[in-house]
Amino acid sequence: MADATVRTGTELIPSSAATTLTVNGRDYTLEFDPRASLLDVFRERLGLTGTKKGCDQGQCGACTVLINGRRVNSCLTLAVMHEGDEITTIEGLGNPAQLHPLQAAFVQCDGFQCGYCTPGQICSAIGMLDEVRAGEPSHVTADIAAQKIELSGPEIRERMSGNICRCAAYSNILAAIRQYAEAGQEAH
Amino acid sequence: MRSFTYERAADSASAVAAASRPGAKFISGGTNLLDLMKLEIERPTHLVDISRLPLAAIEDLPDGGLRIGAQAKNTAVASDMRVRTRYAVLARAVLAGASGQLRNKASMGGNLLQRTRCPYFYDTAAPCNKRDIGSGCSALGGFNRSHAILGASDACIATHPSDMAVALSALDAEIEAVDERNASRRIPIADFHVLPGDTPHIETTLRDGEMITAVTLPPAPPGRHAYRKVRDRASYEFALVSVALVIDTQDGRITSARVALGGVAPKPWRSAGAEAALLGEPATTTGFRAAADRALAGATPRGHNDFKIDLAKRTLIRTLIDTAEQAEGA
């Protein structure tokens, strides 16, 4: 574990006071450099390596997690800013023994090749579907004042544009999200 | 990233007091600031976290306008039914920018303060007058396809990246800010962003330590709203050209017109010339062409971005045809 202060070059960098982060329902109290991104704290300090670092500048979406139910890029936010927030990473959604239904849909639909973007795709899709359910419009929503958003292919594509897949498994990612969303509707 | 100290502001008064320290900066969504801090283009020594201040409300104003708190997330603004029905151009502009993840984090105030995406500004090995005063402009003789054709100077031809601000410009928004003495003032958006001139490192009239608290919108102008964005990808890309338009017609003549352009200038580019050319004229393609010529009068292309003059004209004409024709039928 890191010390309360971190020496870099000749500078003594003040660490944050002990901060409690709530990740996947569990509280972690630790001290870290205020410069630490949420992403780096997951991976380097909490052992939660499911969240992936792609570009580290908010362009690829591989680091997407849910904060208070909203999808965000964990590379572009400071961990110290998230005390008290409910954070969900891919580890909080499912595990190899018990896949989240959307993870299962990705497997069934072959929604990945290398898999590096997949945790971000899945967290993003979960947040995205909640946004649709809440009636939040997108760039391609024809009637911006519509109360209800229809989950069409173009809507999913537009809303998932913040998640890049370098293997270009897009058509199968779309299929997996649709399959999961349609199954959810039947269940209601 | 350079080291800094961090504090979470308890209220607005302590936030502005904390930000009066030399080297201090506010942080809210952080989606642009942290990116620039990683590259050490931004080097604050103290960060004042204002993201939890109770400044996220969207409220009706007695005059029929709307007041949007500076801490309202971009998603919240675009999803608000009052924005969607009364200020559709704003909802459309917000949704045309960034990605779902970024809009969930980015704040109203921060969106206004985001810095240019000029690749030379980001390339710390290249001269850039905005980043390193007096070092020169690499874009002038460089690959300047994305750069400004209006309002730029020989010191800087970077564009302002915000879509949202283009709509706010068409809507005559005002920016509310408080200073370290807690004195409040309102800045019309036309006076908020400044042109580069010889000082491209100065981008707004916001003073050191001043904090944006809200954006107020006067009652919406009459007519139909449109925001059209032309870019290299269908989604998640900055504008080459964008048009914010609110236009009304009566008996085939234009009775009200608001026109602002994005992606072409160092600030959201409200076009008084285009509006004057449209007002009182028949809503015809001939008139729209004249307005587009007025909007781009005096444009200075820089080589790779020569195409932007025609692209901006055509985008404006197409948006006028689509929107004004609909207005006639309505």
Side-chain angles (χ1 to χ4, degrees):
Chain A
M1 299 295 277
D3 296 333
T5 53
V6 182
R7 198 171 284 276
T8 303
T10 56
E11 278 180 313
L12 196 62
I13 296 163
S15 95
S16 69
T19 301
T20 301
L21 295 175
T22 308
V23 187
N24 304 325
R26 184 177 153 191
D27 286 350
Y28 298 84
T29 300
L30 68 169
E31 293 178 352
F32 45 79
D33 189 305
R35 291 175 293 184
S37 68
L38 199 49
L39 171 63
D40 284 346
V41 169
F42 294 150
R43 293 184 56 84
E44 309 292 334
R45 300 291 302 280
L46 305 186
L48 297 171
T49 55
T51 309
K52 297 295 186 265
K53 182 183 280 194
C55 68
D56 206 27
Q57 52 185 13
Q59 292 184 2
C60 76
C63 68
T64 304
V65 299
L66 298 163
I67 300 181
N68 302 326
R70 286 264 170 202
R71 52 184 176 151
V72 303
N73 301 111
S74 63
C75 75
L76 276 191
T77 193
L78 298 172
V80 72
M81 293 176 76
H82 290 288
E83 188 155 35
D85 287 337
E86 293 283 341
I87 301 164
T88 304
T89 67
I90 192 70
E91 291 92 341
L93 291 175
N95 59 62
Q98 197 167 13
L99 293 179
H100 184 280
L102 182 56
Q103 289 177 310
F106 266 68
V107 173
Q108 283 165 21
C109 297
D110 205 10
F112 52 85
Q113 287 179 48
C114 81
Y116 197 79
C117 73
T118 312
Q121 298 277 3
I122 287 173
C123 287
S124 183
I126 300 272
M128 180 274 290
L129 292 169
D130 282 343
E131 292 164 11
V132 172
R133 218 168 285 129
E136 297 177 2
S138 84
H139 174 62
V140 300
T141 306
D143 176 6
I144 200 157
Q147 299 277 357
K148 194 174 181 322
I149 309 292
E150 194 195 337
L151 191 68
S152 64
E155 281 283 0
I156 297 176
R157 286 175 184 278
E158 160 61 26
R159 290 166 187 268
M160 292 297 292
S161 71
N163 292 83
I164 309 296
C165 172
R166 196 62 192 82
C167 305
Y170 294 111
S171 57
N172 294 358
I173 292 170
L174 178 67
I177 294 171
R178 291 195 89 141
Q179 179 179 310
Y180 167 73
E182 283 159 19
Q185 276 168 359
E186 283 165 22
H188 279 297
Chain B
M1 194 185 293
R2 302 283 178 96
S3 67
F4 57 84
T5 47
Y6 167 89
E7 73 177 281
R8 187 178 300 143
D11 50 44
S12 292
S14 56
V16 286
S20 64
R21 277 167 66 163
K25 242 185 182 335
F26 296 116
I27 185 165
S28 178
T31 53
N32 188 210
L33 179 60
L34 289 170
D35 195 20
L36 293 169
M37 285 169 64
K38 288 181 184 189
L39 294 165
E40 300 190 358
I41 294 167
E42 294 279 7
R43 297 183 291 268
T45 53
H46 186 61
L47 279 187
V48 182
D49 179 357
I50 56 174
S51 63
R52 299 192 188 198
L53 295 183
L55 297 173
I58 303 176
E59 303 160 303
D60 279 305
L61 292 172
D63 68 353
L66 203 62
R67 183 177 186 274
I68 302 171
Q71 294 307 320
K73 302 298 187 198
N74 285 188
T75 300
V77 175
S79 302
D80 187 282
M81 198 49 93
R82 291 162 296 184
V83 176
R84 287 155 70 183
T85 52
R86 280 150 55 188
Y87 303 96
V89 66
L90 175 58
R92 286 281 180 209
V94 171
L95 293 171
S99 66
Q101 289 97 314
L102 292 170
R103 291 192 298 270
N104 280 342
K105 205 84 181 70
S107 68
M108 191 75 188
N111 188 316
L112 286 166
L113 295 174
Q114 60 179 311
R115 306 200 67 189
T116 185
R117 263 52 176 205
C118 172
Y120 300 104
F121 175 69
Y122 268 74
D123 177 3
T124 52
C128 169
N129 287 322
K130 189 185 279 297
R131 171 169 38 75
D132 186 7
I133 299 167
S135 61
C137 174
S138 300
L140 273 179
F143 186 61
N144 49 34
R145 181 172 176 275
S146 66
H147 290 74
I149 50 174
L150 291 163
S153 72
D154 284 345
C156 182
I157 58 171
T159 56
H160 194 268
S162 172
D163 290 294
M164 185 192 85
V166 182
L168 292 181
S169 169
L171 293 170
D172 279 336
E174 291 192 324
I175 290 103
E176 269 182 40
V178 289
D179 66 14
E180 72 282 1
R181 290 161 301 139
N182 232 11
S184 180
R185 67 172 177 138
R186 280 160 73 147
I187 310 161
I189 188 156
D191 302 330
F192 185 77
H193 298 100
V194 296
L195 295 179
D198 295 329
T199 53
H201 58 289
I202 299 170
E203 295 167 359
T204 72
T205 51
L206 207 61
R207 293 189 286 259
D208 276 353
E210 255 185 323
M211 179 178 75
I212 301 175
T213 49
V215 172
T216 56
L217 303 175
R224 298 188 77 99
H225 293 220
Y227 188 79
R228 192 182 197 104
K229 180 174 180 179
V230 181
R231 46 185 160 174
D232 285 336
R233 294 186 294 198
S235 183
Y236 199 14
E237 176 63 286
F238 292 100
L240 290 167
V241 165
S242 70
V243 171
L245 177 69
V246 184
I247 189 160
D248 204 14
T249 57
Q250 221 159 24
D251 303 327
R253 282 188 185 272
I254 297 159
T255 51
S256 170
R258 303 281 186 90
V259 178
L261 304 176
V264 293
K267 61 183 280 187
W269 196 259
R270 180 80 177 265
S271 181
E275 293 175 8
L278 290 167
L279 202 60
E281 296 297 316
T284 61
T285 305
T286 310
F288 299 157
R289 286 207 179 101
D293 286 340
R294 284 284 294 280
L296 275 298
T300 307
R302 303 284 178 168
H304 297 287
N305 66 359
D306 294 359
F307 73 98
K308 277 197 179 185
I309 295 178
D310 277 344
L311 184 63
K313 287 184 186 178
R314 290 172 186 175
T315 306
L316 177 53
I317 293 165
R318 170 50 62 190
T319 311
L320 283 163
I321 289 171
D322 290 352
T323 315
E325 279 185 352
Q326 288 171 16
E328 279 181 272

